Amino acid sequence: MLDAEFFLRWMNALARAVDREAARLTELDAAIGDADHGTNMQRGFTAVTAALGRDAPDTPGAVLMLTGRQLISTVGGASGPLYGTLLRRAGKALGDEAEVSRAQLAEALRAGIAAVAQLGGAKAGDKTMLDALEPAAAALDESFAAAREAAKDGAAATVPMLARKGRASYLGERSIGHQDPGAASSALLIGTLEEAAR
């Protein structure tokens, strides 16, 4: 079972991963976006770790809700609302349970993903974060490792895609050949689950 401590470890591991990968995320965004994804995510997760450190929530759902709120208020561009919606909706789905199962987390993530799809009007295959998140949530039923691989493969699969949503869609054919930065950061979100479980 996964308790609030697990979720705090997950968010802190994610903050470290975003810190490490910020330059790469910004580089990916420079090719098809406005070159600020890494710095925006870094700023957001610096605020998240500070907030969680000040007043650590005592349920899994509350950890995700607080994280989502922080991201919405501190991350610029589309990333703040999208990641904030993902985590807040997942946190809401988990409710007030003190411990949740991996299956419950997978179900909560699916609720968050559906909210992101609705907010952005995107679907899998549009070259967005959904291309990493949807297969990862499905694979999470199997294991954290399977989810990590599915997210990594999903992010890599965005390279040959034509962007149909977001800023990259303005580039048309020129968006082909570049990995979607949102899918890349989503792979970090899922990949750090395994680290938190150790």
Side-chain angles (χ1 to χ4, degrees):
M1 295 297 280
L2 314 171
D3 59 7
E5 280 301 314
F6 170 87
F7 281 77
L8 289 168
R9 285 198 306 274
W10 179 24
M11 290 301 111
N12 283 310
L14 176 54
R16 289 192 300 272
V18 165
D19 226 30
R20 274 195 315 271
E21 299 290 328
R24 181 177 72 94
L25 294 174
T26 292
E27 200 178 300
L28 291 173
D29 198 32
I32 57 173
D34 45 11
D36 62 358
H37 187 57
T39 47
N40 280 346
M41 291 292 283
Q42 203 170 21
R43 184 172 62 249
F45 276 96
T46 298
V48 164
T49 50
L52 293 174
R54 275 194 307 274
D55 186 20
D58 56 4
T59 65
V63 172
L64 294 186
M65 295 280 282
L66 177 59
T67 300
R69 280 199 305 274
Q70 283 295 321
L71 294 177
I72 286 170
S73 62
T74 56
V75 179
S79 301
L82 292 169
Y83 271 102
T85 295
L86 173 72
L87 295 173
R88 282 178 64 188
R89 188 60 61 89
K92 189 176 176 187
L94 292 176
D96 298 326
E97 300 282 333
E99 292 186 330
V100 298
S101 65
R102 196 178 67 240
Q104 283 173 293
L105 173 57
E107 196 53 47
L109 277 176
R110 283 192 276 271
I113 291 163
V116 166
Q118 190 176 16
L119 179 67
K123 60 185 186 304
D126 284 343
K127 196 182 182 100
T128 70
M129 63 198 291
L130 296 178
D131 292 302
L133 290 173
E134 285 193 2
L140 190 53
D141 288 326
E142 187 187 325
S143 69
F144 290 134
R148 173 178 48 80
E149 286 305 308
K152 198 172 82 173
D153 292 348
T158 63
V159 174
M161 289 178 183
L162 173 72
R164 293 194 179 88
K165 290 289 170 188
R167 188 177 283 269
S169 66
Y170 305 155
L171 297 175
E173 298 282 330
R174 284 183 298 143
S175 67
I176 295 171
H178 301 282
Q179 186 173 118
D180 180 68
S185 57
S186 294
L188 296 180
L189 170 78
I190 300 297
T192 47
L193 272 167
E194 196 178 17
E195 190 179 327
R198 287 190 192 120

